Amino acid sequence: MPMGHTATEQAGSGGLTATEHRLANGLRVVLSEDHLTPVAAVCLWYDVGSRHEVKGRTGLAHLFEHLMFQGSAQVTGNGHFELVQGAGGSLNGTTSFERTNYFETMPAHELELALWLEADRMGSLLTALDEESLENQRDVVKNERRQRYDNVPYGTAFERLTAMAYPEGHPYHHTPIGSMADLDAASLEDARAFFRTYYAPNNAVLAVVGDIDPEQTLAWIEKYFGSIPGHDGKQPPRDGSLPETIGEELREVVTEDVPSRALMAAYRLPHDGTREADAADLALTVLGGGESSRLYNRLVRRDRTAVAAGFGLLRLAGAPSLGWLDVKTSGGVEVADIERAVDEELARFAADGPTPEEMERAQAQLEREWLDRLATVSGRADELCRFAVLFGDPQLALTAVRRVLEITPQEVQAVAQARLRPDNRAVLVYEPAEGTASAESAGAADAADTEEGEADQ
């Protein structure tokens, strides 16, 4: 099969470059050379996540992430893990609302093995998928749900707030973990149809970053992936657009065995890929991004009413992003006191905007996070895939830092005024159950991490 076009662009982040290629079967390939260390990262993003699922069959995307580690035509059982780790590599996979990804970081001389393994399961997983492997992984995912959601303090917070922030019937209303009932209901034919529809080369982006010979790498990709047929049956995801604001405050109080009272909230924010999303990221960084932030200084240092306070952005491309507030109270402090202080800080920020020092510090913080991510071969491969799948252009990953630094204080203030308001949030309050010790929480839960899975070995 002949190769498609090749494009190269000098990037805006430390001279990094990426080349783009397309196989005749539709597989998009992005390569980025980096000879600093003798390793290579392989990252494969499939354009399928929980937003593609339908009512009654939630959790299939995440279930399939696990099934992809259960063997294929030439790799049986746990062989994928064993071969990669035996060669000195590391690997995993995760599922989110908007994609499922698989990744390996290998010694450079073992790159061909990783490419062969990914191609084998893309092209032949169905030959190994049977009732036994489906039942096995269904049980694994249900157990993961118990361990990460149902049986840990604050474990269902993300699921509850997502269901409030996105109305019934919205493609983001349910989280990637899925429901127990839907996992039980999934049949072998459901799983096979899901694979045939979404695990096709024309629904994927493959990025290879590191100490590579691009010509040899492309030859291996053509050899192993080129004969896998494409599939045209995929339907576009359902429309995830919503009004800019919720229009009213939504609230739920949960009484559970939790170590302390907690206030969590989700604010509807601009879609990822926009200047407004970058401005929102800077606003939340000033307000709640670490121990120098306004909310941490007010609640933890000054008032001593909280033991942890954070405010971060869950970036989403196909639906409004979420601003995620997470505050754990100190001792017997009432949540109402915390909420009053939060609203005071948000109102003051909306009225005055960030100070020059806060703006500089927030931009430096986000710049450092971006550069740290692009500096690793695995992080860069993931970002190249992300921008290719969600925005159609992997080169945008290499200029993301520049875009953050271009945002003005006025844009940051404007997004705070428009969005960080009481009538644009879903609020979740945790109250300790009767007899539960109101001990200090160990810290803010990373509740907004939507990446389910990380397949069990």
Side-chain angles (χ1 to χ4, degrees):
M1 290 186 180
M3 285 288 173
H5 76 280
T6 301
T8 309
E9 180 179 315
Q10 187 71 22
S13 298
L16 303 177
T17 59
T19 62
E20 302 170 51
H21 318 266
R22 190 183 290 270
L23 303 196
N25 60 6
L27 179 68
R28 297 162 69 193
V29 178
V30 186
L31 305 180
S32 181
E33 285 185 80
D34 183 342
H35 301 290
L36 285 177
T37 54
V39 295
V42 173
C43 184
L44 188 58
W45 270 46
Y46 290 93
D47 187 8
V48 58
S50 58
R51 67 170 172 167
H52 295 86
E53 297 164 351
V54 296
K55 189 175 179 65
R57 289 295 181 271
T58 66
L60 271 176
H62 179 216
L63 176 62
F64 236 98
E65 175 222 313
H66 284 260
L67 289 170
M68 285 283 276
F69 289 94
Q70 284 296 288
S72 46
Q74 300 179 78
V75 183
T76 60
N78 207 35
H80 196 108
F81 274 104
E82 292 166 357
L83 287 167
V84 170
Q85 292 172 338
S90 60
L91 73 161
N92 225 316
T94 67
T95 314
S96 79
F97 290 106
E98 301 183 324
R99 60 97 184 103
T100 308
N101 68 345
Y102 302 89
F103 44 93
E104 296 89 5
T105 300
M106 307 289 283
H109 67 277
E110 295 286 3
L111 170 60
E112 185 181 8
L113 171 62
L115 294 171
W116 174 76
L117 284 166
E118 288 294 359
D120 192 59
R121 59 182 176 180
M122 177 191 283
S124 70
L125 186 94
L126 285 186
T127 63
L129 181 60
D130 56 21
E131 289 284 1
E132 183 181 357
S133 58
L134 176 64
E135 198 59 41
N136 175 276
Q137 289 310 299
R138 192 191 337 247
D139 288 343
V140 169
V141 172
K142 287 164 68 175
N143 194 46
E144 179 184 331
R145 183 185 167 87
R146 294 184 193 100
Q147 291 179 344
R148 295 182 59 185
Y149 279 70
D150 299 333
N151 298 334
V152 295
Y154 318 109
T156 59
F158 181 61
E159 192 171 43
R160 291 173 186 274
L161 274 174
T162 298
M164 281 196 281
Y166 302 112
E168 182 75 40
H170 190 274
Y172 292 66
H173 179 71
H174 70 279
T175 56
I177 193 72
S179 75
M180 288 285 200
D182 287 359
L183 288 169
D184 282 333
S187 69
L188 183 59
E189 188 45 49
D190 287 334
R192 286 174 171 160
F194 193 89
F195 180 85
R196 282 192 293 265
T197 301
Y198 294 110
Y199 278 77
N202 53 316
N203 195 47
V205 172
L206 172 66
V208 185
V209 176
D211 188 15
I212 63 172
D213 175 338
E215 189 174 335
Q216 176 64 76
T217 302
L218 277 173
W220 283 330
I221 292 169
E222 179 66 52
K223 177 181 178 182
Y224 297 123
F225 289 89
S227 62
I228 302 172
H231 188 277
D232 297 325
K234 177 188 172 184
Q235 298 297 311
R238 289 172 293 137
D239 182 18
S241 61
L242 288 169
E244 286 194 354
T245 60
I246 297 173
E248 62 176 323
E249 183 183 83
L250 307 174
R251 181 175 292 265
E252 182 180 345
V253 178
V254 179
T255 301
E256 283 185 356
D257 290 339
V258 291
S260 69
R261 292 188 177 100
L263 170 69
M264 300 183 192
Y267 292 76
R268 191 177 289 177
L269 293 175
H271 290 240
D272 194 15
T274 62
R275 284 184 71 95
E276 291 81 9
D278 287 336
D281 205 353
L282 287 164
L284 300 191
T285 301
V286 172
L287 287 164
E291 296 185 4
S292 62
S293 66
R294 289 195 184 192
L295 290 175
Y296 191 93
N297 275 321
R298 169 73 184 270
L299 299 170
V300 181
R301 284 207 173 99
R302 197 192 93 181
D303 295 355
R304 298 189 178 180
T305 52
V307 295
F311 209 172
L313 180 64
L314 172 60
R315 288 178 176 264
L316 295 169
S321 301
L322 289 183
W324 196 271
L325 175 71
D326 186 353
V327 182
K328 304 298 192 307
T329 67
S330 177
V333 173
E334 295 291 334
V335 167
D337 296 333
I338 295 282
E339 200 164 356
R340 193 160 38 247
V342 168
D343 284 342
E344 285 176 10
E345 293 300 323
L346 295 188
R348 188 161 63 89
F349 188 76
D352 302 334
T355 67
E357 294 78 19
E358 286 176 328
M359 190 71 184
E360 183 179 357
R361 187 165 60 239
Q363 285 179 314
Q365 186 172 328
L366 294 186
E367 179 184 28
R368 183 175 65 252
E369 290 172 5
W370 263 109
L371 293 178
D372 284 349
R373 189 137 178 76
L374 293 176
T376 68
V377 292
S378 59
R380 195 183 324 156
D382 192 55
E383 292 298 341
L384 290 168
C385 280
R386 179 167 82 91
F387 281 93
V389 168
L390 299 180
F391 307 109
D393 184 3
Q395 307 293 345
L396 290 169
L398 306 180
T399 55
V401 171
R402 186 179 72 208
R403 291 193 296 278
V404 169
L405 298 180
E406 288 173 351
I407 300 299
T408 66
Q410 291 74 26
E411 289 174 288
V412 174
Q413 183 179 3
V415 78
Q417 288 174 342
R419 305 296 191 102
L420 298 181
R421 301 166 13 185
D423 65 350
N424 184 39
R425 68 185 176 201
V427 177
L428 188 62
V429 174
Y430 276 92
E431 290 284 349
E434 191 74 25
T436 304
S438 186
E440 289 192 353
S441 170
D446 187 13
D449 178 5
T450 64
E451 297 195 348
E452 306 292 355
E454 306 210 345
D456 298 328
Q457 297 182 45

